[in-house]
Amino acid sequence: MTNIVLFGPPGAGKGTQAEVLKEKYQWVHISTGDVFRYNIKNNTELGALAKSYMDKGHLVPDTVTIDMLKAEVEKNPDAKGIIFDGFPRTEAQAEALSELMDRMNSQVNAMVALEVDDEVLVQRLLERGKSSGRPDDANEEVIRERIAEYYRKTDILKNYYQQQDKYYGVDGVGSIKEITERLSAVIETL
Ligand code: AMP
């Protein structure tokens, strides 16, 4: 089983690339943001809780996010590989993922990060907001808060995976195809 953490700030292109890689390698794609949005659409209790954080550009608390992630992984016992998109976002989440993988006799093979300048991210997210229907893409203040939250809590995970020799940075600016090629070049060395 090959497990990849697709990493990068909001707007780096994780969701787009995860969908391409899922088809290419026949892996399962788990996006915690998508699962939260699904719950919001279906008016669940989890959705209401998550929305109160997401609308402000803040992270949903770890315990809630970790329990949800575990349930998603457990839905896919026969996966050949999993692409984690938007998880882990804190050190506690990274630890929980490592324990979960241990219990499955598996591991995170790599964190592959899409590197994009902050101002490019803001412009991309504002553009996406015109059609995504995501309230957190519609407002520049919330977009900047999401990026700030990334630097406060998430960016440090680079060190976490670097210490395990599992960190790979990839230029996230270019066409979708070019970026897939860069990601695949890393994945195929694993
Ligand atoms: P995304 O779709 O990955 O951009 O996530 C959208 C929003 O969902 C984030 O701004 C957070 O509020 C929430 N979210 C998604 N994944 C996580 C996570 N791993 N931990 C905490 N909050 C998350």
Side-chain angles (χ1 to χ4, degrees), residues 57-123:
H58 293 158
L59 293 187
V60 178
D62 281 336
T63 47
V64 178
T65 306
I66 289 167
D67 285 350
M68 183 194 86
L69 186 276
K70 283 184 186 160
E72 288 302 310
V73 170
E74 280 160 12
K75 283 182 197 164
N76 294 284
D78 301 323
K80 281 204 310 182
I82 301 180
I83 309 166
F84 293 96
D85 159 12
F87 187 97
R89 265 177 153 105
T90 64
E91 209 157 326
Q93 293 181 14
E95 295 286 355
L97 182 59
S98 164
E99 282 164 25
L100 179 64
M101 291 291 121
D102 276 350
R103 280 206 298 280
M104 294 168 65
N105 292 320
S106 192
Q107 60 167 336
V108 171
N109 299 83
M111 164 184 270
V112 193
L114 291 168
E115 297 168 343
V116 181
D117 281 349
D118 291 354
E119 286 312 308
V120 176
L121 298 172
V122 174
Q123 291 316 314

Side-chain angles (χ1 to χ4, degrees), residues 1-4 21-29 76-83 104 106-107 109:
M1 194 178 177
T2 307
N3 302 298
I4 306 287
L21 296 174
K22 167 189 161 157
E23 292 305 319
K24 184 166 177 179
Y25 297 105
Q26 298 294 300
W27 287 341
V28 170
H29 169 203
N76 294 284
D78 301 323
K80 281 204 310 182
I82 301 180
I83 309 166
M104 294 168 65
S106 192
Q107 60 167 336
N109 299 83

